[in-house]
Amino acid sequence: MENISSNKSFGGWHKQYSHRSAVLNCDMRFAIYLPPQVSTGDTVPVLYWLSGLTCTDENFMQKSGAQAIAAELGIAIVAPDTSPRGDDVADDEGYDLGKGAGFYVNATQAPWNRHYQMYDYIVEELPALIEANFPVSGMRSISGHSMGGHGALTIALKNPLRYQSVSAFSPISNPINCPWGQKAFTQYLGDDKSQWPQHDASELMRNAQQFVPARVEQGNADQFLEEQLKPDTLTAAANASGYPLELNSHDGYDHSYYFIASFIEEHLRFHAVHMQP
């Protein structure tokens, strides 16, 4: 790993690193916030944050205001990039496919399958790197926004023993039935739609046998609410399986980081309860 930057924040440190990813076959960057508790030799739990379309590791760390609460609670936050990067990495002219739009799945179709193995990166490679190099415990939770909310929910649902809790802001809840998801899944996973539901939070939640405590925030003024996000489908799935989902709707809030900043404290406190040793 190479340390790119370090900034003191609320008694802790925000740091950026680059590293070679064997899973993604390219160089990657991530950010980590280490709360002040690590300076006393304590190990701390980790919240993995997955960002949305067009984002990098910087969006959440610069806009959410999460560091103050993370410092109080003693939680490290890890924010990876949203896709592989590099001159030889496949891309698309659209903002919703290719670089910045990895959708947190393992691509099976060329040319995407050479680099776009974001599921394995988030679930296996990145946590192994973090736990080998930073003073963190084995307590993990996961959260995200929009495309990252889709990633957080599906990853937790598919790995209920790896995560203590999961949360999401404005997640793409039913990608097999929305334009963003259909475009990405066709390219990354192929035309065989029988494989798609295993990457759909609503389908996974409807059929869940093991539960991870889950919280979702959704703004009712979100411009993508009806066509792309479909939170009602997620609620119906939770009701069908008895999944412990808390879905909160908020009047007037949109899809922006103003929404995330308004409720990130509640999410961090939610995760802190479940990440107690």
Side-chain angles (χ1 to χ4, degrees), residues 8-19:
K8 195 163 188 180
S9 177
F10 294 97
W13 288 91
H14 168 271
K15 299 186 177 186
Q16 284 181 307
Y17 289 88
S18 65
H19 73 103

Side-chain angles (χ1 to χ4, degrees), residues 113-166:
N113 56 350
R114 184 179 175 213
H115 296 284
Y116 285 76
Q117 305 296 308
M118 286 297 293
Y119 176 88
D120 283 351
Y121 179 69
I122 298 299
V123 175
E124 300 289 347
E125 187 179 33
L126 183 59
L129 187 71
I130 297 299
E131 290 165 18
N133 289 280
F134 298 99
V136 299
S137 69
M139 305 293 282
R140 310 178 200 94
S141 290
I142 191 165
S143 185
H145 172 232
S146 194
M147 177 187 71
H150 140 78
L153 289 170
T154 56
I155 285 171
L157 286 160
K158 291 166 73 68
N159 300 275
L161 300 181
R162 285 187 63 86
Y163 301 97
Q164 272 60 56
S165 51
V166 59

Side-chain angles (χ1 to χ4, degrees), residues 200-219:
D200 185 292
S202 294
E203 295 294 320
L204 291 167
M205 192 169 283
R206 183 180 301 278
N207 296 296
Q209 300 294 313
Q210 294 177 294
F211 299 156
V212 180
R215 174 169 179 159
V216 170
E217 287 338 283
Q218 178 61 63

